[in-house]
Amino acid sequence: MEIIYLLIPVAIILVAFATWAFFYSVNSGQFDDLESPAHRILYDDDEDMIPEDARVKKESDAPSTEITKD
Amino acid sequence: MSNQKDSCFHCATPIPKGVNVELSVDGKQESFCCPACRAVTQTILGSGLEKYYQHRGNQQQERPTEIESQEQLALYDNESIQSPFVRHIDADRKEATFVIEGIHCAACVWLLERHLTEQSGVTSFTVNLTNHRARLVWRSEEKPLSELMAAIISIGYTPHPFTPNQEEKLYEQEQKKAMRRLGIAGVGMMQVMMMSSALYLGDAFFMEEHIQNFIRWTSFIVATPVVFYAARPFFIAAQRDLRTKHLSMDVPVSIAIGGAYAASVWATFTQSGEVYYDSVSMFTFFLLIGRFFEMKARHRTGMAGNELANILPASATRVTDSAEQLVPVSELKPGDRVLVKPGHSIPADGILFTQHTSIDESALTGEPLPVSKQLGDQLVGGTINMEQAIEMEITSSAEQSRMSSILNLLDRAQADKPKVAKIADKVASYFVAAVLLTATVVSLIWWQISPSDAFWVTLSVLVVTCPCALSLATPTALTAAIGSLRKMGLLVTRGHVLESLAQCSAVYFDKTGTLTTGKLTLRETTPLCKQSTEQLNQLAAAIESRSEHPIASAFSPYFTYSVEDATNYVGEGVEGSINGQTYRIGKPEFVARLYGHQPPIHPEGTGIYLLMGNNSGPLAWFAIDDQLRPEAIEAVKQIQALGLPVGMLTGDREANAQRIASELGIDHVESQLSPEDKLTRVKAMQNDGERILMIGDGINDIPVLSGAQTSIAMNGATDLAKTSSDAVLVSADLRRIPGSLSMARKTQNIIRQNISWALLYNLIALPLAASGYIAPWMAAIGMSLSSLIVVGNALRLTKQL
């Protein structure tokens, strides 16, 4: 069980690193808008990236996304 | 998507009869309500952004507003005007911040970002959905700012230059701080929980002593920042409350966190007793989450910025002896002469220099009908010139204008707002006093009996009475209720709303825009000839079709054909000819002059009466009025059924107010009140011990909304009115108000139940702990169970819709 003398400090260092990264992202404004990025992923504007032969017909390629007002 | 043939493809408003504006979209012919909507759709399709119409779901797009003239926008290319909201990033790139009007969903954000980044010269353009703020980085050499603003306008949104004020900067800092605290508490909680489970299991499986100690030390390292950084706001608030000799909920929370942490540290250092690092971090995290959501809701409405500034126009046409010149409003000085075109707002307070015009003062008084002004009359900055181009002399600068003075009134009203006594705080102050007293007594007694156990027994008293359940009792119930209210369509923005709604003793409404729709409509047609009502309405609509006057809009639903030529007679009416026949519509005397007799007898009633006639005689009377909201009667009845009197405070004329009041069954009416009067009335009633709920919408309601104990702004209200009110009625359905009132009362009951339970639990646990019968693990289970019961009880509120 002596291995935890190594593992737990490693875990704490990782946590410290994660906290630093979190602070950095909050301070640089990445958490200012908590709503729109969640919706952005739902938009299928990647049509040009789909290979020609894999493209589907118009009806099915755009599931209507239910977006509620904030 | 609501693109049936009877509603506009772009903005989904019903298409008026006879309007035939079409465009082929994706192979299908779609109809529009106006050419502006079609232009917007054309731009959107032209940029290959047709996906917008799929993304936006069922959201209605606002009808595009009148496009500001290029000339006016070009003012924004001026360095001195740009300086407040534009900054230089490097030699050729600049950054501008806007508040964009007309955003309601993520699809709008998508559309704006795509459209703008496709413009040449734009480096980046990001829109924040929460606060509707946009950040534009562009190369100013390549493209003037005005053209980029025009690009935003062309897809149906309005950009307002945004200058953050001090308060908004504070909001941003507060939010970032709260986010960091939440992060620390969350990460810390997870780590400590993991190590604690090892300790729990270790007890059962005989973990070696040195490993247990090691885990305790590491838990201590992780929990320390949680207590000293994340939980800091609780300690600071508790310290402040103690200094003002007022025991609030923050005091027991701090005692719980501080006490349990201190006990654990003691246990860690002396290697004796139990550690509670997990409870400490978890408790902190849950309380912080509650505070975080409360803060988000509070900021949400304030975010859109100080929109009143937008009512004052950014530019004005100054007239000098030699020339006309477009200048920024901030440069206007008393004594300047300015030219105001119809449909534009008056730049600052001043005196009318033209013979006659009519002014829409609805922003100031709530009165929907334009007020007629003669040479020499006072004009108020921010109101809108309706009829013809006028010349006026400025008497005070834009900052000192009347609109700005309403803002000052707002500050005063907010300071005077009566405080709501929170039950939890009241109970807490007794509770804390009792706990502290008991703990002291217990430690003194144990000191006598057995000094070595005294510290541990005292601590277990503090931990077992850890006011988790008590401090969770109110926030959980409030969070659940606020969530339910939001689903119902009432957005709560201040923490005290639910308690003050439950205690409210009288409900007061504003009239225009709140009880009524705020739009002029044709109420009644009284034929004076053989033609049917419908024919007459269509005829009137045809004659009015060329008119810009707000009265003309009342006829637009009946529009089927257009007049051949029409002339406006300022302040009198409109004349037009159809099939060679001349018609007039307007003031009775004006119409009577056409056929040369006395006008017919004016019908009894309120609102505006217009006469229509031709060469041979009068044809019909039209009664034009502001219509009641369809659900208003039911809403008033439901509020009265809850035992609350309903009143109305309005700036409108006596007769109109009385008619609306009798239709609704409102007992208490006061009319012709200025914004100041409304505030004074409400304050007087509050001084008499009444607890007023005020519901309003306009700029004229802002002081009273911030002065009333509780206030609700309608969704159509100006942003400033929303910011100064405690809640916003998003669904625009007045019946939600009685619904919210009963929800608030239910919440109050749940809070009482929760507090009673928490107190009962403590009453049982305290003597047991004081006499040394409770082992730490029992205390932990008791603590969690009582908290769970409280949370479960609060969750009942989410089901009662």
Side-chain angles (χ1 to χ4, degrees):
Chain A
M1 280 304 278
E2 273 62 32
I3 188 66
I4 66 161
Y5 282 108
L6 175 67
L7 289 183
I8 292 186
V10 167
I12 289 181
I13 290 167
L14 286 179
V15 166
F17 175 73
T19 312
W20 170 83
F22 179 71
F23 272 44
Y24 167 77
S25 53
V26 169
N27 291 340
S28 65
Q30 294 179 35
F31 282 83
D32 286 358
D33 186 1
L34 296 174
E35 272 165 70
S36 38
H39 295 296
R40 200 166 289 156
I41 189 77
L42 298 172
Y43 296 150
D44 303 315
D45 42 13
D46 53 356
E47 272 176 356
D48 340 326
M49 287 142 74
I50 304 171
E52 283 290 339
D53 50 334
R55 286 189 193 178
V56 234
K57 283 272 164 280
K58 251 222 139 121
E59 263 64 51
S60 53
D61 67 351
S64 72
T65 47
E66 186 66 31
I67 298 142
T68 45
K69 198 171 175 175
D70 48 13
Chain B
M1 218 163 299
S2 45
N3 52 348
Q4 299 93 10
K5 284 290 171 201
D6 51 351
S7 64
C8 176
F9 178 71
H10 179 71
C11 70
T13 47
I15 298 175
K17 270 185 219 160
V19 172
N20 195 10
V21 184
E22 287 187 332
L23 182 73
S24 160
V25 180
D26 224 5
K28 266 192 286 179
Q29 203 69 12
E30 301 288 356
S31 315
F32 296 87
C33 66
C34 56
C37 280
R38 182 176 58 181
V40 169
T41 306
Q42 223 155 14
T43 316
I44 293 173
L45 296 181
S47 340
L49 299 172
E50 64 276 359
K51 272 285 163 58
Y52 166 69
Y53 290 105
Q54 286 158 17
H55 292 330
R56 69 172 180 178
N58 295 323
Q59 288 297 329
Q60 280 197 7
Q61 182 62 29
E62 253 148 65
R63 240 174 124 145
T65 41
E66 180 196 346
I67 290 177
E68 283 182 72
S69 67
Q70 260 316 314
E71 187 192 6
Q72 218 168 351
L73 279 178
L75 271 179
Y76 287 116
D77 294 334
N78 189 328
E79 281 281 334
S80 69
I81 292 192
Q82 279 188 3
S83 65
F85 68 100
V86 173
R87 67 187 186 92
H88 289 267
I89 296 185
D90 47 41
D92 57 331
R93 283 187 311 158
K94 284 185 184 174
E95 183 194 270
T97 319
F98 299 100
V99 170
I100 305 231
E101 196 183 310
I103 295 181
H104 10 56
C105 60
C108 296
V109 172
W110 178 84
L111 175 65
L112 277 162
E113 288 182 354
R114 291 290 295 257
H115 185 64
L116 263 283
T117 36
E118 275 167 18
Q119 307 290 319
S120 68
V122 175
T123 315
S124 83
F125 184 73
T126 48
V127 182
N128 184 326
L129 175 64
T130 320
N131 56 22
H132 299 181
R133 240 176 258 166
R135 197 173 140 267
L136 171 71
V137 179
W138 85 109
R139 286 182 296 278
S140 51
E141 300 296 304
E142 210 167 307
K143 198 107 174 180
L145 182 60
S146 61
E147 276 181 38
L148 295 175
M149 289 174 75
I152 298 177
I153 294 171
S154 73
I155 48 171
Y157 301 89
T158 319
H160 299 289
F162 173 73
T163 13
N165 53 27
Q166 206 51 39
E167 196 181 6
E168 261 144 2
K169 281 184 193 146
L170 281 178
Y171 271 175
E172 209 177 298
Q173 280 172 10
E174 196 185 340
Q175 155 136 7
K176 283 190 174 154
K177 234 182 236 165
M179 189 72 89
R180 289 196 296 254
R181 294 213 154 100
L182 202 55
I184 287 282
V187 171
M189 176 191 79
M190 288 188 273
Q191 288 300 314
V192 175
M193 282 302 264
M194 206 164 67
M195 298 191 229
S196 299
S197 27
L199 280 182
Y200 295 152
L201 289 174
D203 270 346
F205 293 102
F206 310 106
M207 189 188 272
E208 289 152 87
E209 187 70 28
H210 66 102
I211 290 185
Q212 283 203 21
N213 268 330
F214 178 66
I215 295 182
R216 286 175 167 201
W217 275 102
T218 48
S219 307
F220 162 74
I221 293 173
V222 178
T224 305
V226 175
V227 172
F228 286 96
Y229 182 75
R232 237 185 91 137
F234 302 115
F235 292 123
I236 292 175
Q239 199 190 6
R240 187 196 56 216
D241 292 339
L242 284 178
R243 209 176 295 140
T244 54
K245 300 216 168 57
H246 160 86
L247 291 174
S248 76
M249 215 54 225
D250 286 313
V251 179
V253 165
S254 310
I255 291 178
I257 296 176
Y261 178 74
S264 312
V265 172
W266 175 268
T268 312
F269 277 82
T270 61
Q271 303 188 4
S272 63
E274 291 289 321
V275 291
Y276 305 97
Y277 294 120
D278 51 338
S279 319
V280 172
S281 337
M282 203 162 64
F283 186 47
T284 309
F285 180 68
F286 285 134
L287 283 174
L288 279 178
I289 273 201
R291 300 247 165 140
F292 183 73
F293 283 122
E294 195 194 311
M295 183 197 75
K296 289 287 279 183
R298 186 158 41 86
H299 287 188
R300 197 185 293 272
T301 45
M303 284 295 193
N306 191 341
E307 297 266 312
L308 188 69
N310 291 320
I311 292 174
L312 295 174
S315 63
T317 317
R318 182 161 59 193
V319 189
T320 49
D321 292 333
S322 50
E324 291 180 3
Q325 187 194 7
L326 204 59
V327 293
V329 168
S330 50
E331 283 181 18
L332 286 179
K333 283 181 288 295
D336 280 352
R337 283 243 200 148
V338 294
L339 186 74
V340 185
K341 289 183 189 142
H344 287 230
S345 32
I346 309 282
D349 291 0
I351 291 166
L352 182 62
F353 257 58
T354 310
Q355 281 303 324
H356 182 102
T357 191
S358 52
I359 301 283
D360 174 3
E361 291 192 335
S362 60
L364 197 68
T365 59
E367 163 74 62
L369 299 175
V371 181
S372 136
K373 298 276 181 185
Q374 313 295 334
L375 176 76
D377 277 356
Q378 275 285 338
L379 302 179
V380 178
T383 58
I384 299 163
N385 176 29
M386 299 305 301
E387 222 161 298
Q388 56 172 338
I390 55 164
E391 232 176 83
M392 59 178 285
E393 189 181 294
I394 303 293
T395 51
S396 60
S397 65
E399 296 89 67
Q400 290 159 356
S401 288
R402 180 108 187 276
M403 277 299 189
S404 311
S405 70
I406 288 193
L407 278 182
N408 296 337
L409 202 60
L410 167 79
D411 289 340
R412 239 177 39 225
Q414 259 165 353
D416 290 352
K417 193 163 185 129
K419 296 277 178 293
V420 183
K422 296 190 173 172
I423 343 175
D425 275 354
K426 249 190 284 176
V427 174
S429 57
Y430 293 116
F431 179 80
V432 177
V435 167
L436 292 180
L437 199 71
T438 322
T440 326
V441 172
V442 166
S443 65
L444 281 178
I445 294 175
W446 276 91
W447 193 257
Q448 305 297 321
I449 306 172
S450 124
S452 60
D453 289 328
F455 180 75
W456 279 112
V457 174
T458 314
L459 262 181
S460 78
V461 166
L462 281 176
V463 171
V464 91
T465 58
C466 157
C468 294
L470 191 64
S471 47
L472 287 175
T474 321
T476 47
L478 289 183
T479 312
I482 287 173
S484 302
L485 285 178
R486 199 170 135 182
K487 274 186 221 145
M488 279 168 63
L490 186 85
L491 186 67
V492 172
T493 57
R494 301 271 204 293
H496 70 80
V497 168
L498 280 160
E499 295 197 282
S500 57
L501 269 184
Q503 295 163 6
C504 142
S505 68
V507 182
Y508 279 83
F509 286 95
D510 166 52
K511 186 178 78 75
T512 316
T514 307
L515 286 172
T516 67
T517 56
K519 289 188 193 102
L520 289 178
T521 37
L522 182 59
R523 190 181 73 214
E524 200 187 347
T525 307
T526 322
L528 301 170
C529 62
K530 291 209 176 74
Q531 293 192 56
S532 75
T533 319
E534 196 177 339
Q535 282 173 317
L536 289 165
N537 288 348
Q538 287 175 2
L539 184 60
I543 301 167
E544 291 277 10
S545 61
R546 300 270 175 91
S547 171
E548 301 270 311
H549 198 275
I551 286 182
S553 67
F555 290 98
S556 60
Y558 305 97
F559 179 81
T560 47
Y561 54 96
S562 186
V563 70
E564 281 147 26
D565 67 312
T567 326
N568 271 325
Y569 289 86
V570 173
E572 298 203 285
V574 189
E575 185 182 280
S577 60
I578 292 163
N579 297 332
Q581 174 73 268
T582 307
Y583 293 92
R584 275 184 178 184
I585 183 164
K587 285 197 175 152
E589 299 75 27
F590 165 71
V591 177
R593 256 179 276 141
L594 185 65
Y595 55 84
H597 309 295
Q598 283 297 309
I601 301 149
H602 200 285
E604 288 288 313
T606 53
I608 322 172
Y609 275 87
L610 297 178
L611 185 65
M612 181 168 73
N614 58 13
N615 294 337
S616 41
L619 295 173
W621 283 108
F622 296 102
I624 306 247
D625 219 329
D626 187 10
Q627 289 286 316
L628 272 183
R629 282 182 193 269
E631 78 282 1
I633 298 186
E634 208 186 317
V636 169
K637 270 205 194 103
Q638 285 176 6
I639 296 175
Q640 285 165 339
L642 287 170
L644 299 173
V646 179
M648 185 165 95
L649 300 176
T650 175
D652 205 355
R653 285 182 293 254
E654 177 81 34
N656 282 344
Q658 284 299 344
R659 179 177 67 79
I660 299 272
S662 60
E663 256 178 73
L664 289 171
I666 288 180
D667 353 282
H668 183 121
V669 185
E670 291 194 44
S671 49
Q672 283 168 315
L673 298 177
S674 71
E676 290 89 343
D677 292 341
K678 285 189 185 180
L679 179 60
T680 335
R681 290 296 306 134
V682 165
K683 265 195 195 159
M685 287 187 279
Q686 284 179 166
N687 285 341
D688 293 344
E690 292 273 0
R691 286 178 246 257
I692 306 287
L693 165 63
M694 181 77 208
I695 300 138
D697 72 319
I699 298 233
N700 59 323
D701 295 323
I702 290 172
V704 73
L705 284 178
S706 38
Q709 179 159 42
T710 329
S711 52
I712 300 179
M714 301 299 287
N715 195 33
T718 50
D719 275 355
L720 193 72
K722 286 186 199 166
T723 321
S724 34
S725 66
D726 303 315
V728 180
L729 191 62
V730 181
S731 69
D733 182 346
L734 289 175
R735 278 170 299 191
R736 301 299 185 204
I737 290 171
S740 317
L741 284 167
S742 31
M743 173 60 98
R745 291 182 181 184
K746 267 179 217 153
T747 313
Q748 214 67 358
N749 281 340
I750 296 268
I751 292 179
R752 284 207 191 97
Q753 289 164 8
N754 276 352
I755 289 183
S756 321
W757 158 253
L759 286 181
L760 187 74
Y761 158 77
N762 280 312
L763 276 183
I764 298 169
L766 190 69
L768 290 177
S771 48
Y773 280 114
I774 291 206
W777 63 269
M778 290 156 117
I781 291 178
M783 225 156 70
S784 326
L785 267 187
S786 68
S787 305
L788 277 182
I789 289 176
V790 161
V791 173
N793 194 24
L795 285 180
R796 292 198 300 144
L797 282 169
T798 54
K799 288 187 189 138
Q800 297 175 349
L801 272 180

